[in-house]
Amino acid sequence: MCKNKVVNAGKTTLITRLLPVLTDYGLKVATVKHDGHEFEGDVPGTDTYRHMKAGAFGTAVFYKYAKQEEALLNRLEKYRENHLLFIKRSEVPFDNNISERDLRKVKNRQKMAGGFRKKQGQEMYCRILSIVETLKRRKMNLMENIKQIFIGTPAIF
């Protein structure tokens, strides 16, 4: 994170060198930038263009909302240790969206198998995934509870 109002201090150079390193880790990184005048983004020669070419997943530019920008930057600075905590601690997810992570599993299954042949197969896969993920989140024994489902005495329903 760079919070520096000095012109030509190397902010964009730092970001464009850091972005490929982070994206090589498989991260989707977006950048936030301030511009004090009328702005046309992602045009050759602009900082946001350089950010995108370096691998940024997206860019955001603030130019009219200085108070909101300052609040965001202050929050980012205040919680600096939390931003990349998932790199230091593997048990910390890199996002905070459990639903999105579950959906990613279904999309990966679709890609690997070329899609589901029948709606019935898709529904069965989703039911099984739902049961498995619920058991994991509740820290319940997976095999024991699957046996209970087949016996007719499921613990999670």
Side-chain angles (χ1 to χ4, degrees):
M1 162 143 168
C2 298
K3 183 181 177 184
N4 187 341
K5 296 180 181 180
V6 178
V7 177
N8 294 325
K11 301 181 296 290
T12 300
T13 301
L14 173 64
I15 295 296
T16 56
R17 289 185 180 165
L18 185 59
L19 280 167
V21 174
L22 295 174
T23 56
D24 283 348
Y25 278 103
L27 303 175
K28 289 184 178 180
V29 183
T31 60
V32 179
K33 180 176 174 12
H34 176 266
D35 190 51
H37 48 76
E38 289 300 313
F39 178 78
E40 189 175 347
D42 303 336
V43 175
T46 63
D47 290 347
T48 55
Y49 178 82
R50 290 178 60 195
H51 291 182
M52 293 299 285
K53 291 296 272 186
F57 182 70
T59 59
V61 178
F62 294 95
Y63 64 95
K64 288 186 178 180
Y65 305 104
K67 287 183 182 178
Q68 288 91 338
E69 177 196 27
E70 192 66 29
L72 173 62
L73 291 174
N74 287 339
R75 182 174 173 76
L76 289 172
E77 194 167 310
K78 181 178 180 182
Y79 297 104
R80 173 180 286 177
E81 292 301 314
N82 296 339
H83 296 312
L84 299 176
L85 187 60
F86 65 91
I87 292 175
K88 295 177 189 173
R89 295 180 42 201
S90 61
E91 73 274 11
V92 175
F94 66 90
D95 65 4
N96 64 354
N97 191 336
I98 294 171
S99 299
E100 186 177 298
R101 275 183 259 142
D102 287 344
L103 183 60
R104 190 175 306 125
K105 292 172 187 164
V106 174
K107 293 306 286 181
N108 284 340
R109 165 64 173 79
Q110 255 183 323
K111 287 179 187 177
M112 297 298 286
F116 293 96
R117 292 179 188 224
K118 295 183 179 179
K119 185 160 178 60
Q120 182 182 8
Q122 177 185 5
E123 289 171 355
M124 182 175 60
Y125 178 81
C126 289
R127 280 191 210 112
I128 292 169
L129 184 63
S130 175
I131 291 167
V132 169
E133 291 303 316
T134 300
L135 290 169
K136 281 199 243 174
R137 285 196 190 107
R138 293 182 180 181
K139 297 182 179 14
M140 297 172 77
N141 184 300
L142 184 63
M143 291 308 294
E144 186 58 38
N145 280 283
I146 289 176
K147 279 191 228 173
Q148 294 299 323
I149 289 170
F150 285 108
I151 292 171
T153 56
I156 61 172
F157 301 106

